[in-house]
Amino acid sequence: TLEALEKAQIKTHYSSPSRGLTLSREEFILLAKLIHAEARGESLAGQIAVGAVVFNRMEDPRFPKTIIKVIYEKDQFSPVADGSIDFPPGERVLLAAELALSGLDPTNGCLFFYNPATAQSRWLDGVPRMIRIGSHVFLL
């Protein structure tokens, strides 16, 4: 909720020495909104994993190099298309975003994820699977 954002006392910048980056407040909140939209019913580990995928993509030459460009890249995240990315994240999601930014990656470098129970596109079914965390399957 918006109240959770206010209570969390969002900083103006978030730095991660382990990742070698600094995010603006807007970038951090966008990351948290994506995590919330993609994994709001998942465990903390599942939420961190979604955030880690964004950072993993930023480090991969096949993807854009900024949070904003990774998240808004065409046809990559369904919450961007359906508008659910605009819902405010809760405190636990803000923690998940901070932990993902700090370098925590329960996916071990995965670049993709999907929920097999709800995914409409099946193109990821042929990609080598890495790990299942909650309802999501994470892939290289």
Side-chain angles (χ1 to χ4, degrees):
T1 66
L2 232 28
E3 292 168 6
L5 286 174
E6 290 169 6
K7 282 183 193 174
Q9 297 179 6
I10 302 290
K11 301 180 267 188
T12 58
H13 289 87
Y14 289 79
S15 294
S16 173
S18 66
R19 290 196 185 274
L21 21 116
T22 299
L23 301 182
S24 69
R25 177 183 195 273
E26 293 73 23
E27 290 169 319
F28 180 79
I29 291 172
L30 179 62
L31 174 66
K33 285 180 172 183
L34 178 73
I35 294 169
H36 174 75
E38 289 282 8
R40 65 184 159 268
E42 298 294 322
S43 67
L44 181 59
Q47 291 176 348
I48 295 165
V50 168
V53 165
V54 173
F55 293 112
N56 294 341
R57 287 183 178 198
M58 289 171 59
E59 294 171 1
D60 187 284
R62 296 171 287 178
F63 293 94
K65 300 297 169 223
T66 70
I67 290 276
I68 293 169
K69 287 181 180 178
V70 165
I71 291 174
Y72 284 112
E73 186 175 20
K74 187 172 172 32
D75 299 327
Q76 294 300 303
F77 297 104
S78 57
V80 172
D82 70 19
S84 62
I85 195 165
D86 294 325
F87 299 144
E91 287 183 56
R92 189 172 82 159
V93 172
L94 295 171
L95 174 61
E98 281 198 71
L99 292 170
L101 173 61
S102 77
L104 193 57
D105 181 3
T107 75
N108 297 312
C110 287
L111 299 171
F112 305 97
F113 66 90
Y114 74 112
N115 182 335
T118 61
Q120 294 181 8
S121 173
R122 305 310 303 186
W123 76 271
L124 287 173
D125 285 345
V127 176
R129 292 178 186 217
M130 281 292 292
I131 189 168
R132 184 177 190 116
I133 302 172
S135 301
H136 290 110
V137 175
F138 292 84
L139 313 112
L140 282 176

